[in-house]
Amino acid sequence: MSTQRKRGARSPLASFGLHATLVLASAIAVFPVFWVLVTSFKPDSRAVEPTPKLINEFTTGNYTDVLTGAKGDFLSWFGNSVLIAALTTVIAVFLSATTGYAVSRFRFPGYRATMLSFLLIQMFPFAVLIVPLYNIMLSLGLQGSSLGLVLIYCTTAIPFCAYMLKSYFDTIPADIDEAGRIDGLSHFGVFWRLVMPLARPGLAVTAFYAFLTAWGEVAFASAFLSAADQSKTLAVGLQVFVQQNRTEWGHLAAASILVAIPAVIVFYLVQRFLVTGLSAGAVKG
Amino acid sequence: MVLPVVVVIGVLVLLPLAQGVYYSFTNINEATIANPILDRPATYEWVGLTNYLNVLSGDPSYGDFWAVLVRTLIWTFASVFCHYAIGLGLAVLLNRRIAGRGLYRVLLILPWAVPAFISAFAWKYMFNAQYGIINQLLGAVGLPQPVWLGQSDLALVAVIIVNVWLGVPFMMVALLGGLQSIPGELYEAAEIDGASAWQRFRNITLPGLRSVSSTVVLLGTIWTFNMFAVIYLVTGGINPNTRILVIYAFERFFSGASRDYAIASTYGVLILSLLLVFASAYRRALRKQGEVW
């Protein structure tokens, strides 16, 4: 039978199996998020029922509580996180683009060491850096401030981003640079006006990576930000809903949905670049 | 144009690194660190290898190093193995022509889009022994309903499940990119020669993915070995049954009255050394297979 089928065609059974597997995998991927969404519309007391129902006593009270500050200082946390993530993204994209372009186009002394160090920095556990960085922040007077965190996130995001972008710039022909030079552009002009626009997919992936690094980081934020409620980021602040004896799941769920929305929007905008950006970038090395 | 980055990395990575290594040979803690706010000078002293001897002796009061190392290895190996196997399986399925491929892709990537700390909370909620949906489902089909996040090794199983769920999308996307760079003619030629699906997978797909695979497995191993947020948030801070090396270092740095920076640094240096040894061994193994990396 199989020899009579057109090449690439599938038997109905194989097709069913394929779809069944993908549907099951998608369900597992989506379910936790879906469940948080459902919980966020339940009254806080109903979130801990012994037999959870899909919908009971639909309410938007959790959202009101969280947004008006009745439960936790959500808006301050949100503002801090947006500020930190945005600054990290802008700085990281700009610096890693210039670096990635430089290592893609020029050979200079220390080239191999630079490339290797980009990879090695991925290996540094925060545990070895946390004490000295704490010390540096203390002496710079940045301890407990957002700016200090931005600097720290940049150090983890930039090497990886530069590494990804280097490979991406490699796929842009150097002829374009030469043409630009002949037309009288400076090195930086070539980079800024010709190469950057062409590298948009790679830059989108980089921005996304940098954004997520800052948006979701827990350890440094927990250790370095001051204990004052207004200075916390979301990753730290949301932990106040998880107490030793009682967790406010309804409020936590509502806050989580509010936090996830911007991340998912950013993600949706860049996801079509992810496959091309990543495969041209990080993975080909 | 590299200069700013070299400077930033130098000041914020290499300098702290050197300092961290130095601290691991001292008795620095909350009481002896210099504090400009209180205008207090540093009073910590050089103690030589004392910290390393204490930690490597496996003494429980210094974190039971060897037991924690074994747990870290189990955690890392189980996570990365599942990431890679499931990610590759899904990438192969998604690489076929199939109705609704774009939709499947978006849905499968979703765990990556949600910030990890949100996912950690979601799973903590679902794993709850009394009202969590997972035990409800297990009960509905007549299976036992264990206490997932209690003081037992089940907690480690639970955090591994969460970490696998979180990490599969990255692997899938990276491997999907790799699959798309394998020329389709290779498969057509093999099919004409009568190669079975399994033979095509073994002899075309796996070799074609080798450079992608080696990079993502290395990165995945490093990231998992140093993974902090998932365990810390899912098990709610301190649970000795899910304590891996970085978690212990953080506990030593952050919690406890004395804030023992010296032991935290010692753990950090040991973690870094382990990863460096792993990475160079891995690289050498690849080079033996003729991989230039």
Side-chain angles (χ1 to χ4, degrees):
Chain A
M1 278 302 278
S2 64
T3 47
Q4 287 172 9
R5 259 189 290 127
K6 239 174 72 186
R7 204 182 61 236
R10 267 184 300 270
S11 70
L13 193 67
S15 202
F16 176 76
L18 187 59
H19 278 284
T21 316
L22 286 172
V23 167
L24 179 69
S26 306
I28 295 174
V30 172
F31 186 78
V33 181
F34 168 74
W35 195 238
V36 171
L37 185 66
V38 169
T39 307
S40 71
F41 289 110
K42 292 178 185 174
D44 203 52
S45 56
R46 291 301 172 110
V48 292
E49 279 179 315
T51 45
K53 294 195 195 73
L54 200 55
I55 296 172
N56 59 28
E57 294 187 37
F58 178 89
T59 172
T60 51
N62 294 322
Y63 288 94
T64 340
D65 284 353
V66 167
L67 284 173
T68 55
K71 290 285 170 184
D73 203 349
F74 183 79
L75 291 179
S76 301
W77 305 335
F78 198 87
N80 290 334
S81 279
V82 168
L83 178 74
I84 291 174
L87 272 177
T88 306
T89 307
V90 171
I91 298 175
V93 168
F94 182 73
L95 283 184
S96 59
T98 52
T99 313
Y101 181 71
V103 288
S104 166
R105 292 296 195 265
F106 309 117
R107 291 291 171 270
F108 50 88
Y111 171 80
R112 270 197 66 82
T114 310
M115 287 305 291
L116 201 63
S117 73
F118 289 165
L119 265 192
L120 286 181
I121 287 169
Q122 291 294 311
M123 255 176 254
F124 290 0
F126 75 87
V128 68
L129 299 178
I130 195 163
V131 183
L133 283 174
Y134 179 76
N135 208 355
I136 291 176
M137 293 300 149
L138 211 57
S139 55
L140 288 176
L142 289 174
Q143 207 275 330
S145 83
S146 314
L147 190 63
L149 274 187
V150 169
L151 283 176
I152 290 170
Y153 295 157
C154 281
T155 59
T156 43
I158 288 174
F160 186 69
C161 293
Y163 193 79
M164 278 203 290
L165 278 176
K166 184 253 177 202
S167 323
Y168 201 87
F169 289 134
D170 283 347
T171 64
I172 297 171
D175 302 351
I176 292 177
D177 301 36
E178 278 163 33
R181 294 285 290 163
I182 290 165
D183 290 346
L185 284 171
S186 66
H187 271 306
F188 190 78
V190 168
F191 164 73
W192 190 248
R193 297 171 63 174
L194 297 180
V195 178
M196 286 289 266
L198 287 172
R200 249 184 234 134
L203 293 172
V205 178
T206 310
F208 172 67
Y209 180 83
F211 176 82
L212 276 198
T213 303
W215 192 249
E217 205 277 339
V218 180
F220 281 120
S222 306
F224 283 5
L225 288 173
S226 69
D229 216 26
Q230 316 88 283
S231 83
K232 288 174 178 164
T233 62
L234 289 163
V236 181
L238 257 54
Q239 291 177 47
V240 305
F241 294 125
V242 189
Q243 295 303 333
Q244 203 70 44
N245 307 317
R246 181 173 144 49
T247 300
E248 298 176 20
W249 287 114
H251 295 122
L252 180 61
S256 298
I257 293 297
L258 292 172
V259 176
I261 288 171
V264 171
I265 290 173
V266 172
F267 192 87
Y268 184 75
L269 293 175
V270 299
Q271 61 93 14
R272 65 204 168 93
F273 297 126
L274 274 177
V275 174
T276 45
L278 259 182
S279 57
V283 289
K284 275 186 192 154
Chain B
M1 284 201 274
V2 199
L3 200 65
V5 172
V6 172
V7 170
V8 169
I9 289 175
V11 172
L12 281 168
V13 178
L14 296 181
L15 183 71
L17 180 68
Q19 232 176 12
V21 174
Y22 171 68
Y23 287 160
S24 71
F25 294 105
T26 68
N27 64 354
I28 188 168
N29 62 30
E30 180 70 7
T32 55
I33 196 172
N35 191 329
I37 299 165
L38 301 176
D39 202 20
R40 189 189 64 200
T43 54
Y44 55 87
E45 288 166 351
W46 179 266
V47 295
L49 286 172
T50 315
N51 292 324
Y52 288 93
L53 293 176
N54 284 336
V55 168
L56 292 176
S57 70
D59 189 335
S61 57
Y62 290 97
D64 229 343
F65 179 80
W66 299 105
V68 176
L69 176 63
V70 170
R71 189 179 301 116
T72 311
L73 293 176
I74 294 172
W75 149 265
T76 307
F77 180 80
S79 298
V80 175
F81 179 82
C82 295
H83 283 157
Y84 186 77
I86 299 173
L88 179 61
L90 291 174
V92 168
L93 294 184
L94 278 184
N95 198 35
R96 302 182 177 199
R97 247 175 304 152
I98 176 174
R101 183 162 70 170
L103 180 65
Y104 283 130
R105 202 176 73 191
V106 172
L107 293 179
L108 287 171
I109 291 178
L110 190 77
W112 195 8
V114 179
F117 65 93
I118 300 290
S119 308
F121 290 138
W123 280 94
K124 188 183 164 76
Y125 180 48
M126 299 198 325
F127 270 127
N128 188 285
Q130 283 123 43
Y131 46 80
I133 189 80
I134 290 177
N135 273 0
Q136 296 301 320
L137 293 176
L138 290 176
V141 292
L143 290 169
Q145 308 181 7
V147 179
W148 285 98
L149 300 174
Q151 306 286 320
S152 75
D153 287 335
L154 259 185
L156 186 63
V157 176
V159 287
I160 289 174
I161 291 174
V162 179
N163 192 42
V164 168
W165 182 84
L166 277 170
V168 161
F170 170 77
M171 284 284 182
M172 186 187 79
V173 169
L175 291 170
L176 193 56
L179 284 177
Q180 287 172 355
S181 68
I182 300 174
E185 299 91 62
L186 285 179
Y187 288 103
E188 286 172 22
E191 212 169 344
I192 290 165
D193 290 344
S196 70
W198 173 245
Q199 282 170 328
R200 277 173 289 168
F201 180 72
R202 285 241 6 224
N203 297 317
I204 302 175
T205 308
L206 285 183
L209 283 177
R210 190 186 274 162
S211 71
V212 180
S213 302
S214 59
T215 314
V216 290
V217 167
L218 180 65
L219 278 177
T221 307
I222 294 168
W223 286 340
T224 308
F225 202 88
N226 285 335
M227 173 57 80
F228 172 80
V230 171
I231 296 181
Y232 182 74
L233 294 177
V234 171
T235 59
I238 296 173
N239 179 342
N241 294 94
T242 55
R243 184 184 276 150
I244 64 169
L245 293 172
V246 276
I247 297 279
Y248 186 73
F250 186 79
E251 281 174 21
R252 209 67 195 210
F253 170 80
F254 197 54
S255 42
S258 67
R259 290 195 158 209
D260 196 339
Y261 301 144
I263 295 293
S265 300
T266 309
Y267 266 83
V269 173
L270 288 170
I271 292 167
L272 182 59
S273 323
L274 285 167
L275 285 174
L276 284 175
V277 168
F278 166 76
S280 57
Y282 185 81
R283 216 177 142 187
R284 190 161 305 155
L286 285 183
R287 201 175 273 160
K288 267 199 193 125
Q289 294 173 15
E291 191 75 33
V292 197
W293 181 68

